[in-house]
Amino acid sequence: MPDFDQSKAYAAQEEVFFDDGREVELLHFVYGKPDIDQIRGNPSKVLQAIDDFGRTKKYLMNVGEDKGKIVSDLIAEVKPQTMVELGGYIGYSCILFGDAVRKAGGKRYYSLERNPEFGAVISSLVDLAGLGDVVKVAIGSSDASLKRLHDAGELKHIDLMFLDHYKPAYKPDLKLCEELKLVTPGSVLAADNVITPGNPPYLEYVRASVEQKRKWLEQPNGEGTDPDARVGQKHINQYAKRGESTALNASPGNPNLVYDSKLNHSFEPTGDPDAIEVSRCTGEESG
Ligand SMILES: C[S@@+](CC[C@H](N)C(=O)[O-])C[C@H]1O[C@@H](n2cnc3c(N)ncnc32)[C@H](O)[C@@H]1O
């Protein structure tokens, strides 16, 4: 793994580091750039402008260049027709990966974002980057959006999924995708922040054997809809401001799916160590 280039570090994360007006401030910053006409229609230049804000103004919870490269390389290899991200924020990963999906010959990049203000920022910057033909932003809780897109027949299969939203929702949302047959053998998952802040329940699930997953499913009370206590309370509290429900869907998933799962070490845009877990669904055992 290459070292982190400190000259590219984002500003440090503050106690309150999102949903404090900085997302709209970012829009003014980007659209106020003297070279805005060169930025229009150019995904790399839009990303540069966002990085510029993150480095010189305020921290932004973007995937960043280093971890972003792991997923961009995966897109070039997997060549997904359909890619879904859970958690879009201001559109950094959406623009980086939406552009990579288009270059790899893919058709659709769905960005699922719960906060409507953030969703509006994503749409504005995606439009600025000229990616409106590939990207579709879906506003709402990820599980509700997955169900809605599936039930409408719009989302039939997920070739590659980037998980980067509410940490306790990674595992239940994956299980929902399994149940809806959106994730099947051939699907690939890339999960962000599995070290910072960490996500033990998700890692345990994608690394478990089919036998273990069948045993968990047989447990009398199931897993319930409360966040797993192993995911930090600090992360859970961050989303309390809007009074959004933290209840999780209780899908049984498909325990018969087999994953080949590997940790890829890298860095947050601040330089803090983090990793992306890449899990390839390689098969399905008969039940
Ligand atoms: C870390 S940020 C995403 C960063 C983005 N993927 C990037 O790298 O540019 C997490 C985002 O997930 C959103 N979020 C949290 N819980 C969600 C849920 N249940 N459904 C959809 N979005 C959610 C938050 O509003 C926030 O914008």
Side-chain angles (χ1 to χ4, degrees), residues 18 61-64 85-94 97 112-115 118 140-143 162 164-167 169 173 192-193 239:
F18 68 95
M61 55 173 168
N62 304 332
V63 65
E85 77 174 2
L86 308 182
Y89 190 40
I90 52 82
Y92 187 96
S93 54
C94 181
F97 304 151
L112 274 44
E113 171 53 52
R114 179 163 62 182
N115 182 315
F118 299 168
S141 183
S142 47
D143 51 356
F162 179 56
D164 190 18
H165 60 328
Y166 183 50
K167 305 314 156 194
D173 281 355
D192 194 12
N193 303 123
Y239 287 103

PDB file of all heavy atoms in Angstrom, residues 18 61-64 85-94 97 112-115 118 140-143 162 164-167 169 173 192-193 239, ligand 1:
ATOM      1  N   PHE A  18     -20.855  17.474   9.688  1.00  0.00           N
ATOM      2  CA  PHE A  18     -21.741  17.498   8.518  1.00  0.00           C
ATOM      3  C   PHE A  18     -23.099  18.032   8.936  1.00  0.00           C
ATOM      4  O   PHE A  18     -23.383  18.146  10.132  1.00  0.00           O
ATOM      5  CB  PHE A  18     -21.863  16.106   7.874  1.00  0.00           C
ATOM      6  CG  PHE A  18     -22.594  15.073   8.695  1.00  0.00           C
ATOM      7  CD1 PHE A  18     -23.947  14.825   8.505  1.00  0.00           C
ATOM      8  CD2 PHE A  18     -21.923  14.331   9.655  1.00  0.00           C
ATOM      9  CE1 PHE A  18     -24.622  13.862   9.253  1.00  0.00           C
ATOM     10  CE2 PHE A  18     -22.595  13.376  10.421  1.00  0.00           C
ATOM     11  CZ  PHE A  18     -23.936  13.143  10.223  1.00  0.00           C
ATOM     12  N   MET A  61     -17.088  14.340   4.538  1.00  0.00           N
ATOM     13  CA  MET A  61     -16.988  12.885   4.776  1.00  0.00           C
ATOM     14  C   MET A  61     -17.049  12.085   3.463  1.00  0.00           C
ATOM     15  O   MET A  61     -17.852  11.166   3.319  1.00  0.00           O
ATOM     16  CB  MET A  61     -18.042  12.408   5.780  1.00  0.00           C
ATOM     17  CG  MET A  61     -19.473  12.756   5.436  1.00  0.00           C
ATOM     18  SD  MET A  61     -20.582  11.945   6.624  1.00  0.00           S
ATOM     19  CE  MET A  61     -22.111  12.757   6.251  1.00  0.00           C
ATOM     20  N   ASN A  62     -16.178  12.445   2.522  1.00  0.00           N
ATOM     21  CA  ASN A  62     -16.096  11.753   1.229  1.00  0.00           C
ATOM     22  C   ASN A  62     -15.181  10.529   1.325  1.00  0.00           C
ATOM     23  O   ASN A  62     -14.285  10.496   2.157  1.00  0.00           O
ATOM     24  CB  ASN A  62     -15.505  12.680   0.165  1.00  0.00           C
ATOM     25  CG  ASN A  62     -16.283  13.976   0.030  1.00  0.00           C
ATOM     26  OD1 ASN A  62     -17.470  14.009   0.299  1.00  0.00           O
ATOM     27  ND2 ASN A  62     -15.604  15.039  -0.382  1.00  0.00           N
ATOM     28  N   VAL A  63     -15.363   9.605   0.402  1.00  0.00           N
ATOM     29  CA  VAL A  63     -14.484   8.431   0.360  1.00  0.00           C
ATOM     30  C   VAL A  63     -13.026   8.849   0.091  1.00  0.00           C
ATOM     31  O   VAL A  63     -12.092   8.229   0.596  1.00  0.00           O
ATOM     32  CB  VAL A  63     -14.993   7.386  -0.682  1.00  0.00           C
ATOM     33  CG1 VAL A  63     -14.924   7.929  -2.089  1.00  0.00           C
ATOM     34  CG2 VAL A  63     -14.242   6.083  -0.586  1.00  0.00           C
ATOM     35  N   GLY A  64     -12.847   9.906  -0.691  1.00  0.00           N
ATOM     36  CA  GLY A  64     -11.504  10.442  -0.951  1.00  0.00           C
ATOM     37  C   GLY A  64     -10.760   9.687  -2.041  1.00  0.00           C
ATOM     38  O   GLY A  64     -11.212   8.643  -2.520  1.00  0.00           O
ATOM     39  N   GLU A  85     -24.898   2.798  -4.874  1.00  0.00           N
ATOM     40  CA  GLU A  85     -24.200   3.211  -3.653  1.00  0.00           C
ATOM     41  C   GLU A  85     -25.230   3.505  -2.578  1.00  0.00           C
ATOM     42  O   GLU A  85     -26.288   4.083  -2.854  1.00  0.00           O
ATOM     43  CB  GLU A  85     -23.277   4.421  -3.884  1.00  0.00           C
ATOM     44  CG  GLU A  85     -23.966   5.760  -3.980  1.00  0.00           C
ATOM     45  CD  GLU A  85     -22.989   6.946  -4.065  1.00  0.00           C
ATOM     46  OE1 GLU A  85     -21.765   6.763  -4.081  1.00  0.00           O
ATOM     47  OE2 GLU A  85     -23.504   8.090  -4.128  1.00  0.00           O
ATOM     48  N   LEU A  86     -24.930   3.098  -1.363  1.00  0.00           N
ATOM     49  CA  LEU A  86     -25.778   3.394  -0.209  1.00  0.00           C
ATOM     50  C   LEU A  86     -25.085   4.529   0.543  1.00  0.00           C
ATOM     51  O   LEU A  86     -24.011   4.337   1.105  1.00  0.00           O
ATOM     52  CB  LEU A  86     -25.922   2.153   0.680  1.00  0.00           C
ATOM     53  CG  LEU A  86     -26.367   0.863  -0.024  1.00  0.00           C
ATOM     54  CD1 LEU A  86     -26.516  -0.282   0.994  1.00  0.00           C
ATOM     55  CD2 LEU A  86     -27.666   1.063  -0.780  1.00  0.00           C
ATOM     56  N   GLY A  87     -25.671   5.728   0.496  1.00  0.00           N
ATOM     57  CA  GLY A  87     -25.066   6.903   1.139  1.00  0.00           C
ATOM     58  C   GLY A  87     -24.308   7.735   0.130  1.00  0.00           C
ATOM     59  O   GLY A  87     -23.211   7.386  -0.293  1.00  0.00           O
ATOM     60  N   GLY A  88     -24.924   8.850  -0.319  1.00  0.00           N
ATOM     61  CA  GLY A  88     -24.297   9.646  -1.383  1.00  0.00           C
ATOM     62  C   GLY A  88     -23.638  10.921  -0.898  1.00  0.00           C
ATOM     63  O   GLY A  88     -22.752  11.452  -1.562  1.00  0.00           O
ATOM     64  N   TYR A  89     -24.100  11.469   0.229  1.00  0.00           N
ATOM     65  CA  TYR A  89     -23.641  12.736   0.815  1.00  0.00           C
ATOM     66  C   TYR A  89     -23.656  13.878  -0.200  1.00  0.00           C
ATOM     67  O   TYR A  89     -24.719  14.265  -0.650  1.00  0.00           O
ATOM     68  CB  TYR A  89     -22.278  12.550   1.491  1.00  0.00           C
ATOM     69  CG  TYR A  89     -21.869  13.749   2.322  1.00  0.00           C
ATOM     70  CD1 TYR A  89     -22.797  14.440   3.095  1.00  0.00           C
ATOM     71  CD2 TYR A  89     -20.564  14.221   2.318  1.00  0.00           C
ATOM     72  CE1 TYR A  89     -22.448  15.559   3.840  1.00  0.00           C
ATOM     73  CE2 TYR A  89     -20.191  15.333   3.074  1.00  0.00           C
ATOM     74  CZ  TYR A  89     -21.149  16.006   3.827  1.00  0.00           C
ATOM     75  OH  TYR A  89     -20.793  17.112   4.554  1.00  0.00           O
ATOM     76  N   ILE A  90     -22.504  14.410  -0.611  1.00  0.00           N
ATOM     77  CA  ILE A  90     -22.552  15.557  -1.546  1.00  0.00           C
ATOM     78  C   ILE A  90     -22.205  15.107  -2.972  1.00  0.00           C
ATOM     79  O   ILE A  90     -22.116  15.937  -3.876  1.00  0.00           O
ATOM     80  CB  ILE A  90     -21.646  16.740  -1.102  1.00  0.00           C
ATOM     81  CG1 ILE A  90     -20.216  16.304  -0.801  1.00  0.00           C
ATOM     82  CG2 ILE A  90     -22.239  17.410   0.139  1.00  0.00           C
ATOM     83  CD1 ILE A  90     -19.309  16.161  -1.936  1.00  0.00           C
ATOM     84  N   GLY A  91     -21.989  13.792  -3.169  1.00  0.00           N
ATOM     85  CA  GLY A  91     -21.839  13.308  -4.537  1.00  0.00           C
ATOM     86  C   GLY A  91     -20.419  12.982  -4.975  1.00  0.00           C
ATOM     87  O   GLY A  91     -20.186  12.682  -6.145  1.00  0.00           O
ATOM     88  N   TYR A  92     -19.459  12.988  -4.034  1.00  0.00           N
ATOM     89  CA  TYR A  92     -18.070  12.720  -4.426  1.00  0.00           C
ATOM     90  C   TYR A  92     -17.936  11.304  -5.011  1.00  0.00           C
ATOM     91  O   TYR A  92     -17.489  11.135  -6.145  1.00  0.00           O
ATOM     92  CB  TYR A  92     -17.142  12.910  -3.223  1.00  0.00           C
ATOM     93  CG  TYR A  92     -15.671  12.820  -3.555  1.00  0.00           C
ATOM     94  CD1 TYR A  92     -14.930  13.980  -3.806  1.00  0.00           C
ATOM     95  CD2 TYR A  92     -15.010  11.605  -3.633  1.00  0.00           C
ATOM     96  CE1 TYR A  92     -13.577  13.913  -4.114  1.00  0.00           C
ATOM     97  CE2 TYR A  92     -13.657  11.532  -3.936  1.00  0.00           C
ATOM     98  CZ  TYR A  92     -12.943  12.682  -4.173  1.00  0.00           C
ATOM     99  OH  TYR A  92     -11.606  12.610  -4.479  1.00  0.00           O
ATOM    100  N   SER A  93     -18.346  10.290  -4.231  1.00  0.00           N
ATOM    101  CA  SER A  93     -18.210   8.911  -4.724  1.00  0.00           C
ATOM    102  C   SER A  93     -19.105   8.702  -5.949  1.00  0.00           C
ATOM    103  O   SER A  93     -18.740   7.978  -6.876  1.00  0.00           O
ATOM    104  CB  SER A  93     -18.557   7.903  -3.628  1.00  0.00           C
ATOM    105  OG  SER A  93     -19.830   8.166  -3.076  1.00  0.00           O
ATOM    106  N   CYS A  94     -20.237   9.364  -5.956  1.00  0.00           N
ATOM    107  CA  CYS A  94     -21.182   9.234  -7.077  1.00  0.00           C
ATOM    108  C   CYS A  94     -20.537   9.719  -8.379  1.00  0.00           C
ATOM    109  O   CYS A  94     -20.656   9.072  -9.427  1.00  0.00           O
ATOM    110  CB  CYS A  94     -22.407  10.057  -6.715  1.00  0.00           C
ATOM    111  SG  CYS A  94     -23.685  10.028  -7.927  1.00  0.00           S
ATOM    112  N   PHE A  97     -17.314   7.345  -9.148  1.00  0.00           N
ATOM    113  CA  PHE A  97     -17.655   5.983  -9.584  1.00  0.00           C
ATOM    114  C   PHE A  97     -18.659   5.996 -10.751  1.00  0.00           C
ATOM    115  O   PHE A  97     -18.613   5.105 -11.596  1.00  0.00           O
ATOM    116  CB  PHE A  97     -18.212   5.169  -8.401  1.00  0.00           C
ATOM    117  CG  PHE A  97     -17.282   5.108  -7.208  1.00  0.00           C
ATOM    118  CD1 PHE A  97     -17.779   4.965  -5.915  1.00  0.00           C
ATOM    119  CD2 PHE A  97     -15.899   5.199  -7.361  1.00  0.00           C
ATOM    120  CE1 PHE A  97     -16.939   4.911  -4.814  1.00  0.00           C
ATOM    121  CE2 PHE A  97     -15.043   5.162  -6.264  1.00  0.00           C
ATOM    122  CZ  PHE A  97     -15.567   5.024  -4.993  1.00  0.00           C
ATOM    123  N   LEU A 112     -28.193   6.277  -3.428  1.00  0.00           N
ATOM    124  CA  LEU A 112     -29.295   6.254  -2.463  1.00  0.00           C
ATOM    125  C   LEU A 112     -28.913   7.115  -1.264  1.00  0.00           C
ATOM    126  O   LEU A 112     -27.927   6.804  -0.570  1.00  0.00           O
ATOM    127  CB  LEU A 112     -29.574   4.808  -2.018  1.00  0.00           C
ATOM    128  CG  LEU A 112     -30.517   3.974  -2.887  1.00  0.00           C
ATOM    129  CD1 LEU A 112     -30.267   4.104  -4.364  1.00  0.00           C
ATOM    130  CD2 LEU A 112     -30.491   2.520  -2.469  1.00  0.00           C
ATOM    131  N   GLU A 113     -29.641   8.194  -1.060  1.00  0.00           N
ATOM    132  CA  GLU A 113     -29.300   9.151   0.009  1.00  0.00           C
ATOM    133  C   GLU A 113     -30.559   9.511   0.792  1.00  0.00           C
ATOM    134  O   GLU A 113     -31.574   9.876   0.206  1.00  0.00           O
ATOM    135  CB  GLU A 113     -28.662  10.403  -0.612  1.00  0.00           C
ATOM    136  CG  GLU A 113     -28.446  11.558   0.346  1.00  0.00           C
ATOM    137  CD  GLU A 113     -27.673  11.226   1.623  1.00  0.00           C
ATOM    138  OE1 GLU A 113     -26.575  10.647   1.535  1.00  0.00           O
ATOM    139  OE2 GLU A 113     -28.187  11.519   2.715  1.00  0.00           O
ATOM    140  N   ARG A 114     -30.462   9.439   2.116  1.00  0.00           N
ATOM    141  CA  ARG A 114     -31.645   9.684   2.951  1.00  0.00           C
ATOM    142  C   ARG A 114     -31.962  11.173   3.112  1.00  0.00           C
ATOM    143  O   ARG A 114     -33.119  11.566   3.127  1.00  0.00           O
ATOM    144  CB  ARG A 114     -31.410   9.052   4.333  1.00  0.00           C
ATOM    145  CG  ARG A 114     -32.562   9.275   5.276  1.00  0.00           C
ATOM    146  CD  ARG A 114     -32.550   8.345   6.454  1.00  0.00           C
ATOM    147  NE  ARG A 114     -31.383   8.497   7.290  1.00  0.00           N
ATOM    148  CZ  ARG A 114     -31.140   7.769   8.362  1.00  0.00           C
ATOM    149  NH1 ARG A 114     -31.973   6.816   8.709  1.00  0.00           N
ATOM    150  NH2 ARG A 114     -30.056   7.951   9.077  1.00  0.00           N
ATOM    151  N   ASN A 115     -30.927  12.009   3.230  1.00  0.00           N
ATOM    152  CA  ASN A 115     -31.141  13.432   3.518  1.00  0.00           C
ATOM    153  C   ASN A 115     -31.459  14.181   2.213  1.00  0.00           C
ATOM    154  O   ASN A 115     -30.625  14.243   1.307  1.00  0.00           O
ATOM    155  CB  ASN A 115     -29.868  13.982   4.174  1.00  0.00           C
ATOM    156  CG  ASN A 115     -29.984  15.432   4.567  1.00  0.00           C
ATOM    157  OD1 ASN A 115     -30.481  16.251   3.798  1.00  0.00           O
ATOM    158  ND2 ASN A 115     -29.510  15.761   5.757  1.00  0.00           N
ATOM    159  N   PHE A 118     -28.946  16.867   1.055  1.00  0.00           N
ATOM    160  CA  PHE A 118     -27.729  16.289   0.463  1.00  0.00           C
ATOM    161  C   PHE A 118     -28.038  15.759  -0.943  1.00  0.00           C
ATOM    162  O   PHE A 118     -27.232  15.886  -1.866  1.00  0.00           O
ATOM    163  CB  PHE A 118     -27.164  15.149   1.322  1.00  0.00           C
ATOM    164  CG  PHE A 118     -26.756  15.529   2.717  1.00  0.00           C
ATOM    165  CD1 PHE A 118     -26.474  14.558   3.673  1.00  0.00           C
ATOM    166  CD2 PHE A 118     -26.644  16.858   3.096  1.00  0.00           C
ATOM    167  CE1 PHE A 118     -26.100  14.897   4.970  1.00  0.00           C
ATOM    168  CE2 PHE A 118     -26.275  17.217   4.391  1.00  0.00           C
ATOM    169  CZ  PHE A 118     -26.005  16.231   5.328  1.00  0.00           C
ATOM    170  N   GLY A 140     -34.329   8.971   0.186  1.00  0.00           N
ATOM    171  CA  GLY A 140     -35.090   8.177   1.153  1.00  0.00           C
ATOM    172  C   GLY A 140     -34.163   7.219   1.857  1.00  0.00           C
ATOM    173  O   GLY A 140     -32.976   7.113   1.508  1.00  0.00           O
ATOM    174  N   SER A 141     -34.693   6.539   2.838  1.00  0.00           N
ATOM    175  CA  SER A 141     -33.895   5.558   3.552  1.00  0.00           C
ATOM    176  C   SER A 141     -33.509   4.444   2.569  1.00  0.00           C
ATOM    177  O   SER A 141     -34.319   4.037   1.736  1.00  0.00           O
ATOM    178  CB  SER A 141     -34.723   5.016   4.719  1.00  0.00           C
ATOM    179  OG  SER A 141     -33.947   4.128   5.443  1.00  0.00           O
ATOM    180  N   SER A 142     -32.273   3.963   2.679  1.00  0.00           N
ATOM    181  CA  SER A 142     -31.751   3.002   1.702  1.00  0.00           C
ATOM    182  C   SER A 142     -32.653   1.776   1.545  1.00  0.00           C
ATOM    183  O   SER A 142     -32.907   1.337   0.415  1.00  0.00           O
ATOM    184  CB  SER A 142     -30.348   2.562   2.112  1.00  0.00           C
ATOM    185  OG  SER A 142     -30.330   2.228   3.486  1.00  0.00           O
ATOM    186  N   ASP A 143     -33.162   1.231   2.662  1.00  0.00           N
ATOM    187  CA  ASP A 143     -33.969   0.009   2.536  1.00  0.00           C
ATOM    188  C   ASP A 143     -35.284   0.298   1.791  1.00  0.00           C
ATOM    189  O   ASP A 143     -35.693  -0.470   0.924  1.00  0.00           O
ATOM    190  CB  ASP A 143     -34.210  -0.677   3.894  1.00  0.00           C
ATOM    191  CG  ASP A 143     -34.741   0.253   4.975  1.00  0.00           C
ATOM    192  OD1 ASP A 143     -34.859   1.479   4.717  1.00  0.00           O
ATOM    193  OD2 ASP A 143     -35.036  -0.233   6.080  1.00  0.00           O
ATOM    194  N   PHE A 162     -21.616  -0.219  -3.468  1.00  0.00           N
ATOM    195  CA  PHE A 162     -20.723   0.498  -2.564  1.00  0.00           C
ATOM    196  C   PHE A 162     -21.525   0.861  -1.321  1.00  0.00           C
ATOM    197  O   PHE A 162     -22.526   1.587  -1.420  1.00  0.00           O
ATOM    198  CB  PHE A 162     -20.192   1.759  -3.267  1.00  0.00           C
ATOM    199  CG  PHE A 162     -19.272   2.597  -2.428  1.00  0.00           C
ATOM    200  CD1 PHE A 162     -18.124   2.050  -1.853  1.00  0.00           C
ATOM    201  CD2 PHE A 162     -19.517   3.947  -2.218  1.00  0.00           C
ATOM    202  CE1 PHE A 162     -17.255   2.823  -1.083  1.00  0.00           C
ATOM    203  CE2 PHE A 162     -18.662   4.729  -1.450  1.00  0.00           C
ATOM    204  CZ  PHE A 162     -17.531   4.163  -0.881  1.00  0.00           C
ATOM    205  N   ASP A 164     -21.776   2.789   2.093  1.00  0.00           N
ATOM    206  CA  ASP A 164     -21.089   3.912   2.756  1.00  0.00           C
ATOM    207  C   ASP A 164     -22.107   4.806   3.463  1.00  0.00           C
ATOM    208  O   ASP A 164     -22.050   6.016   3.352  1.00  0.00           O
ATOM    209  CB  ASP A 164     -20.306   4.711   1.695  1.00  0.00           C
ATOM    210  CG  ASP A 164     -19.382   5.740   2.325  1.00  0.00           C
ATOM    211  OD1 ASP A 164     -19.075   5.620   3.523  1.00  0.00           O
ATOM    212  OD2 ASP A 164     -18.963   6.680   1.614  1.00  0.00           O
ATOM    213  N   HIS A 165     -23.092   4.184   4.159  1.00  0.00           N
ATOM    214  CA  HIS A 165     -24.118   5.016   4.807  1.00  0.00           C
ATOM    215  C   HIS A 165     -24.090   4.785   6.313  1.00  0.00           C
ATOM    216  O   HIS A 165     -23.015   4.812   6.924  1.00  0.00           O
ATOM    217  CB  HIS A 165     -25.485   4.771   4.152  1.00  0.00           C
ATOM    218  CG  HIS A 165     -25.993   3.349   4.210  1.00  0.00           C
ATOM    219  ND1 HIS A 165     -25.173   2.252   4.198  1.00  0.00           N
ATOM    220  CD2 HIS A 165     -27.254   2.852   4.305  1.00  0.00           C
ATOM    221  CE1 HIS A 165     -25.894   1.152   4.254  1.00  0.00           C
ATOM    222  NE2 HIS A 165     -27.160   1.491   4.345  1.00  0.00           N
ATOM    223  N   TYR A 166     -25.239   4.545   6.886  1.00  0.00           N
ATOM    224  CA  TYR A 166     -25.383   4.340   8.334  1.00  0.00           C
ATOM    225  C   TYR A 166     -24.757   2.973   8.662  1.00  0.00           C
ATOM    226  O   TYR A 166     -25.214   1.942   8.138  1.00  0.00           O
ATOM    227  CB  TYR A 166     -26.879   4.384   8.642  1.00  0.00           C
ATOM    228  CG  TYR A 166     -27.269   4.257  10.074  1.00  0.00           C
ATOM    229  CD1 TYR A 166     -26.675   5.042  11.062  1.00  0.00           C
ATOM    230  CD2 TYR A 166     -28.276   3.364  10.465  1.00  0.00           C
ATOM    231  CE1 TYR A 166     -27.064   4.934  12.382  1.00  0.00           C
ATOM    232  CE2 TYR A 166     -28.669   3.256  11.783  1.00  0.00           C
ATOM    233  CZ  TYR A 166     -28.056   4.042  12.730  1.00  0.00           C
ATOM    234  OH  TYR A 166     -28.441   3.937  14.044  1.00  0.00           O
ATOM    235  N   LYS A 167     -23.721   2.966   9.478  1.00  0.00           N
ATOM    236  CA  LYS A 167     -22.943   1.726   9.643  1.00  0.00           C
ATOM    237  C   LYS A 167     -23.776   0.526  10.111  1.00  0.00           C
ATOM    238  O   LYS A 167     -23.595  -0.572   9.592  1.00  0.00           O
ATOM    239  CB  LYS A 167     -21.722   1.955  10.565  1.00  0.00           C
ATOM    240  CG  LYS A 167     -20.789   3.096  10.110  1.00  0.00           C
ATOM    241  CD  LYS A 167     -20.452   3.066   8.631  1.00  0.00           C
ATOM    242  CE  LYS A 167     -20.054   4.431   8.099  1.00  0.00           C
ATOM    243  NZ  LYS A 167     -20.036   4.534   6.645  1.00  0.00           N
ATOM    244  N   ALA A 169     -26.637  -0.228   9.297  1.00  0.00           N
ATOM    245  CA  ALA A 169     -27.538  -0.665   8.219  1.00  0.00           C
ATOM    246  C   ALA A 169     -26.815  -1.486   7.144  1.00  0.00           C
ATOM    247  O   ALA A 169     -27.477  -2.064   6.268  1.00  0.00           O
ATOM    248  CB  ALA A 169     -28.224   0.550   7.585  1.00  0.00           C
ATOM    249  N   ASP A 173     -29.141  -4.152   5.144  1.00  0.00           N
ATOM    250  CA  ASP A 173     -29.405  -3.772   3.749  1.00  0.00           C
ATOM    251  C   ASP A 173     -28.840  -4.812   2.782  1.00  0.00           C
ATOM    252  O   ASP A 173     -29.442  -5.102   1.744  1.00  0.00           O
ATOM    253  CB  ASP A 173     -28.841  -2.378   3.452  1.00  0.00           C
ATOM    254  CG  ASP A 173     -29.756  -1.270   3.979  1.00  0.00           C
ATOM    255  OD1 ASP A 173     -30.857  -1.590   4.481  1.00  0.00           O
ATOM    256  OD2 ASP A 173     -29.373  -0.087   3.902  1.00  0.00           O
ATOM    257  N   ASP A 192     -17.176   0.583   2.756  1.00  0.00           N
ATOM    258  CA  ASP A 192     -16.233   1.596   3.261  1.00  0.00           C
ATOM    259  C   ASP A 192     -16.254   1.616   4.788  1.00  0.00           C
ATOM    260  O   ASP A 192     -17.197   1.134   5.425  1.00  0.00           O
ATOM    261  CB  ASP A 192     -16.659   2.972   2.704  1.00  0.00           C
ATOM    262  CG  ASP A 192     -15.557   4.010   2.881  1.00  0.00           C
ATOM    263  OD1 ASP A 192     -14.405   3.635   3.219  1.00  0.00           O
ATOM    264  OD2 ASP A 192     -15.832   5.212   2.677  1.00  0.00           O
ATOM    265  N   ASN A 193     -15.202   2.211   5.361  1.00  0.00           N
ATOM    266  CA  ASN A 193     -15.129   2.506   6.810  1.00  0.00           C
ATOM    267  C   ASN A 193     -15.171   1.263   7.698  1.00  0.00           C
ATOM    268  O   ASN A 193     -15.697   1.334   8.817  1.00  0.00           O
ATOM    269  CB  ASN A 193     -16.280   3.452   7.240  1.00  0.00           C
ATOM    270  CG  ASN A 193     -16.283   4.752   6.464  1.00  0.00           C
ATOM    271  OD1 ASN A 193     -17.275   5.086   5.826  1.00  0.00           O
ATOM    272  ND2 ASN A 193     -15.190   5.471   6.483  1.00  0.00           N
ATOM    273  N   TYR A 239     -26.541  10.867  13.614  1.00  0.00           N
ATOM    274  CA  TYR A 239     -27.713  11.006  12.749  1.00  0.00           C
ATOM    275  C   TYR A 239     -28.978  11.339  13.541  1.00  0.00           C
ATOM    276  O   TYR A 239     -30.065  11.364  12.987  1.00  0.00           O
ATOM    277  CB  TYR A 239     -27.907   9.735  11.920  1.00  0.00           C
ATOM    278  CG  TYR A 239     -26.864   9.600  10.825  1.00  0.00           C
ATOM    279  CD1 TYR A 239     -25.797   8.728  10.958  1.00  0.00           C
ATOM    280  CD2 TYR A 239     -26.940  10.385   9.679  1.00  0.00           C
ATOM    281  CE1 TYR A 239     -24.825   8.617   9.969  1.00  0.00           C
ATOM    282  CE2 TYR A 239     -25.987  10.285   8.692  1.00  0.00           C
ATOM    283  CZ  TYR A 239     -24.938   9.403   8.839  1.00  0.00           C
ATOM    284  OH  TYR A 239     -23.984   9.306   7.859  1.00  0.00           O
TER     285      TYR A 239
HETATM  286  C1  LIG B   1     -20.138   8.883   4.634  1.00  0.00           C
HETATM  287  S1  LIG B   1     -21.456   9.696   3.865  1.00  0.00           S
HETATM  288  C2  LIG B   1     -21.361   9.128   2.197  1.00  0.00           C
HETATM  289  C3  LIG B   1     -20.144   9.633   1.447  1.00  0.00           C
HETATM  290  C4  LIG B   1     -20.163   9.346  -0.027  1.00  0.00           C
HETATM  291  N1  LIG B   1     -20.404   7.942  -0.313  1.00  0.00           N
HETATM  292  C5  LIG B   1     -18.854   9.753  -0.659  1.00  0.00           C
HETATM  293  O1  LIG B   1     -17.878   9.020  -0.469  1.00  0.00           O
HETATM  294  O2  LIG B   1     -18.789  10.769  -1.317  1.00  0.00           O
HETATM  295  C6  LIG B   1     -22.865   8.843   4.481  1.00  0.00           C
HETATM  296  C7  LIG B   1     -24.185   9.315   3.892  1.00  0.00           C
HETATM  297  O3  LIG B   1     -25.164   8.319   4.142  1.00  0.00           O
HETATM  298  C8  LIG B   1     -26.402   8.950   4.356  1.00  0.00           C
HETATM  299  N2  LIG B   1     -27.256   7.991   5.064  1.00  0.00           N
HETATM  300  C9  LIG B   1     -27.208   7.624   6.366  1.00  0.00           C
HETATM  301  N3  LIG B   1     -28.117   6.682   6.619  1.00  0.00           N
HETATM  302  C10 LIG B   1     -28.754   6.428   5.460  1.00  0.00           C
HETATM  303  C11 LIG B   1     -29.784   5.536   5.078  1.00  0.00           C
HETATM  304  N4  LIG B   1     -30.339   4.714   5.938  1.00  0.00           N
HETATM  305  N5  LIG B   1     -30.170   5.550   3.800  1.00  0.00           N
HETATM  306  C12 LIG B   1     -29.606   6.366   2.890  1.00  0.00           C
HETATM  307  N6  LIG B   1     -28.616   7.223   3.193  1.00  0.00           N
HETATM  308  C13 LIG B   1     -28.195   7.259   4.453  1.00  0.00           C
HETATM  309  C14 LIG B   1     -26.058  10.195   5.144  1.00  0.00           C
HETATM  310  O4  LIG B   1     -27.074  11.166   5.050  1.00  0.00           O
HETATM  311  C15 LIG B   1     -24.744  10.602   4.497  1.00  0.00           C
HETATM  312  O5  LIG B   1     -24.971  11.530   3.485  1.00  0.00           O
END
